[in-house]
């Protein structure tokens, strides 16, 4: 059994992903296996990985499992959840990894025992189903963890109340400084760009919900883990740097990103938080109207 299995999802960023594996994952000191799930794989991108020694698990020839680096090319863009499930399934079936690490390719690891510290924490507390480090953006701000926000706060009141609240009151009302003030312990959700799960918890909770394409995965995992009596843990003694949106922003316009996010979060609120479809639709439409008006006035300036 291999202690650690790592899943990385690649979408039209083979060079960046290879560099991440070579420069960042190489800092991990315990043995591990890596599988890159390539969404919308091209012959060129597959060739890039093979040139670096990655084994194509979709090949009809016998797969060399003694390798440490694998690719799973997908002809279409499956999104984040389905792709991660495919990667995790391969690692568990072939190597029985005890822990699964899910990471973006835009993460920088310090030269400290980041992964090893997360595993030590998992081993010390069996109630933890998901754990993540402090995640710092390029702007120096902390991105994780976060508290639960209702759909009304998330899409309506945060924007409608802005003209009537001071900056300090808005921060207090909507807990906008939650990540900055968070201390080690249990929280509702952590950043999905870099986190770890015991494999048993991943299997028992059903893994990622394949009904989402992008966004909302961390909240859904939190809900799924809660149902099996597990919790989400934040370990700020180790830190990673995240170039947030480096790949998404390159391939999707902001309007498309907002639409994809709203669809996934609507699913999360209705399926996992019991919000009615009517209320969810109303909140999202109000948000769209507010955004339209705000953008209109900004263009007039």
């Amino acid at each position: 059994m291999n202690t650690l299995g790592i899943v990385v999802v690649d979408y039209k960023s083979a060079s960046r992903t290879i560099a991440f594996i070579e420069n960042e994952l190489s800092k991990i000191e315990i043995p591990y296996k890596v599988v890159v799930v390539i969404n919308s794989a091209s012959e060129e991108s597959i060739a890039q990985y093979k040139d670096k020694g990655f084994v194509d698990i979709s090949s009809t020839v016998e797969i060399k499992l003694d390798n440490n680096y694998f690719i799973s090319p997908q002809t279409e863009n499956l999104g984040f959840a389905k792709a991660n499930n495919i990667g995790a399934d391969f690692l568990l079936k072939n190597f029985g990894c005890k822990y699964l690490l899910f990471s973006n390719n835009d993460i920088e690891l310090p030269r400290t025992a980041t992964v090893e510290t997360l595993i030590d924490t998992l081993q010390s507390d069996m109630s933890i189903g998901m754990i993540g480090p402090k995640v710092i953006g390029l702007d120096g701000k902390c991105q994780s963890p976060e508290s639960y926000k209702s759909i009304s706060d998330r899409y309506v009141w945060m924007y409608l109340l802005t003209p009537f609240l001071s900056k300090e009151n808005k921060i207090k009302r909507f807990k906008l400084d939650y990540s900055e003030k968070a201390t080690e312990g249990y929280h509702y959700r952590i950043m999905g760009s870099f986190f770890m799960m015991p494999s048993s918890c991943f299997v028992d909770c059903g893994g990622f919900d394949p009904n989402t394409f992008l966004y909302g995965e961390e909240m859904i995992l939190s809900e799924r883990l809660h149902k099996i009596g597990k919790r989400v843990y934040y370990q700020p003694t180790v830190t990673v740097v995240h170039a947030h949106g480096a790949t998404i922003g390159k391939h999707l316009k902001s309007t498309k990103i907002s639409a994809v996010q709203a669809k996934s979060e609507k699913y999360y609120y209705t399926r996992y938080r019991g919000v009615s479809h009517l209320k969810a639709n109303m909140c999202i439409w109000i948000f769209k109207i507010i955004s339209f008006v705000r953008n209109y006035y900004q263009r007039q300036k």
Side-chain angles (χ1 to χ4, degrees), residues 8 10 13-25 36 44-54 69 71 105:
V8 182
D10 173 15
S13 56
S15 297
R16 185 183 189 104
T17 303
I18 291 170
F20 165 69
I21 292 170
E22 291 180 339
N23 300 329
E24 303 304 326
L25 293 188
V36 179
E44 180 183 1
S45 63
I46 294 173
Q48 281 184 266
Y49 283 102
K50 287 185 175 180
D51 287 345
K52 291 292 185 177
F54 285 73
Y69 304 97
I71 55 171
N105 63 6

Side-chain angles (χ1 to χ4, degrees), residues 49-63:
Y49 283 102
K50 287 185 175 180
D51 287 345
K52 291 292 185 177
F54 285 73
V55 174
D56 184 352
I57 66 174
S58 66
S59 174
T60 56
V61 300
E62 185 177 355
I63 301 174

Side-chain angles (χ1 to χ4, degrees), residues 99-110:
Y99 301 102
L100 291 171
L101 171 65
F102 299 93
S103 178
N104 285 11
N105 63 6
D106 54 0
I107 292 291
E108 179 181 343
L109 277 68

